[in-house]
Amino acid sequence: MTRARTATVVLVLSGFLVLSILAGIALGPTVVPLGDVARFLWAALTGGTISADDVTGYSVVWNVRTPRVLLAVVVGAGLSVVGVAIQALVRNALADPFVLGISSGASVGATAVVVFGVFAGLGVFALSAAAFLGALGATVLVYAAASSRLGLTPLRLVLTGVALAYGFQAVMSVLVFMSPNGEAARTVLFWLLGSLGAAGWHSLPAASVVVVVAIAVLLRLSRPLDVLSMGDESAASLGVDAAALRRGLFVLTAAVTGLLVAVSGAIGFVGLVLPHVVRILVGSGHRRVLMVAPLAGACFLLWADLLSRTLFAPEELPVGVLTALVGVPVFIALMRRRGYLFGGGR
């Protein structure tokens, strides 16, 4: 029954995702009819021609909205599966992709670009490159500080990540305070709350490959993840090297988180709430959760981004504001839901 239910949920979410992608491309401050959307996409994919009157609409559909919608799909899927992995990694139902301090390290790199123009020679890639290097540096520091003779234990990992996150945030605040540019604080704040406004075709390849690889790897590790969630002693008795698995998961989740933050900013609540919602739908087995979580995360972030750019058009809200406004009440509802154990299924 559970397998059939999982298959049904996957099928429904897949269909909904396709419709959501079309809606995300069609809707916005200027609505593009679905017929025109289909015609422009077909022309772009097949090398067809369009009339001179359609150039503006074609540019909006293909060069602006399509890469943004696809990036929302990739980032939402990636944050969701990383949330599942991190909650198993640290055995903490309140863990999300940013609990390890990776996003705070990325924020320091991004702030350096906004405030002082670091890596300005990289042009449109400057912000992403600096954010990824900041995330990489944070990963190394967290790993070095959390490692001990006992290995990479969940408690040390969480405490180290939280402590260093505060340190990175302090560094970021100092950089903003020292900025000669009065608009720096606003720009940094917008980035910290997450935004897909800078999405372009250049943002998609690396993020897509990393997310697909992460999903494939985690699906292969679904059974060890089930065992790891029961504790290190249980894992050892079942032949799973918890320390080695935890190290591998840490590297994988840090790399994915760093890259996603680099292209979209720090979008919260997706990796925290979606894994719990999925567990309610299909149970707590990691294979089932990892099959559904990418689809759920993609749909959720796609619609959050659509609302962020249409509610107050032509002004745009940071997408992280929308994910928090939805995520907080959903999370509270989950806590009050009778019979649900966080991280433990139904």
Side-chain angles (χ1 to χ4, degrees):
M1 177 64 72
T2 303
R3 184 173 299 179
R5 183 174 184 176
T6 302
T8 301
V9 172
V10 168
L11 186 62
V12 170
L13 283 177
S14 298
F16 182 65
L17 179 59
V18 172
L19 295 176
S20 298
I21 290 173
L22 293 175
I25 297 173
L27 301 178
T30 301
V31 177
V32 180
L34 279 177
D36 288 346
V37 169
R39 184 161 54 87
F40 294 153
L41 291 178
W42 180 255
L45 294 173
T46 62
T49 59
I50 58 171
S51 66
D53 294 337
D54 289 332
V55 170
T56 300
Y58 173 85
S59 181
V60 168
V61 167
W62 183 249
N63 296 322
V64 178
R65 291 187 185 172
T66 300
R68 179 168 183 159
V69 165
L70 294 181
L71 186 62
V73 170
V74 170
V75 173
L79 291 177
S80 295
V81 296
V82 170
V84 173
I86 288 182
Q87 287 170 8
L89 167 66
V90 300
R91 297 208 309 272
N92 189 325
L94 296 178
D96 72 352
F98 304 132
V99 74
L100 301 180
I102 309 301
S103 67
S104 298
S107 301
V108 172
T111 302
V113 172
V114 173
V115 173
F116 299 112
V118 178
F119 298 146
L122 295 177
V124 295
F125 297 100
L127 190 66
S128 296
F132 184 72
L133 289 176
L136 187 63
T139 300
V140 174
L141 286 176
V142 171
Y143 184 84
S147 297
S148 68
R149 289 178 298 175
L150 299 176
L152 206 63
T153 61
L155 182 59
R156 288 178 64 94
L157 192 56
V158 171
L159 292 178
T160 303
V162 170
L164 287 180
Y166 280 111
F168 293 137
Q169 289 170 12
V171 171
M172 181 189 65
S173 299
V174 170
L175 292 177
V176 173
F177 182 77
M178 295 171 58
S179 170
N181 180 6
E183 284 293 312
R186 185 176 186 274
T187 303
V188 170
L189 178 62
F190 196 86
W191 189 86
L192 286 176
L193 292 173
S195 173
L196 298 171
W201 289 110
H202 63 276
S203 310
L204 280 167
S208 302
V209 170
V210 168
V211 169
V212 169
V213 170
I215 292 172
V217 170
L218 291 172
L219 280 171
R220 287 183 62 86
L221 294 174
S222 57
R223 195 171 296 276
L225 286 173
D226 288 335
V227 175
L228 185 66
S229 299
M230 296 187 293
D232 289 10
E233 292 183 0
S234 298
S237 67
L238 294 172
V240 174
D241 187 341
L245 178 59
R246 194 170 283 117
R247 284 195 299 272
L249 287 174
F250 175 75
V251 172
L252 177 66
T253 55
V256 177
T257 301
L259 187 58
L260 295 182
V261 170
V263 298
S264 66
I267 301 174
F269 277 93
V270 179
L272 173 62
V273 175
L274 267 297
H276 295 301
V277 174
V278 171
R279 290 187 186 103
I280 290 176
L281 293 174
V282 298
S284 60
H286 278 90
R287 184 167 187 81
R288 297 192 298 272
V289 172
L290 288 167
M291 290 174 63
V292 176
L295 296 170
C299 292
F300 175 67
L301 189 57
L302 195 160
W303 281 100
D305 180 59
L306 177 59
L307 290 174
S308 75
R309 55 188 166 92
T310 55
L311 283 179
F312 299 100
E315 296 296 324
E316 181 176 317
L317 282 175
V319 68
V321 172
L322 269 298
T323 59
L325 288 175
V326 175
V328 169
V330 169
F331 196 72
I332 292 174
L334 286 176
M335 285 195 299
R336 298 180 63 85
R337 186 177 187 271
R338 184 174 301 173
Y340 179 72
L341 300 176
F342 275 81
R346 300 175 66 186

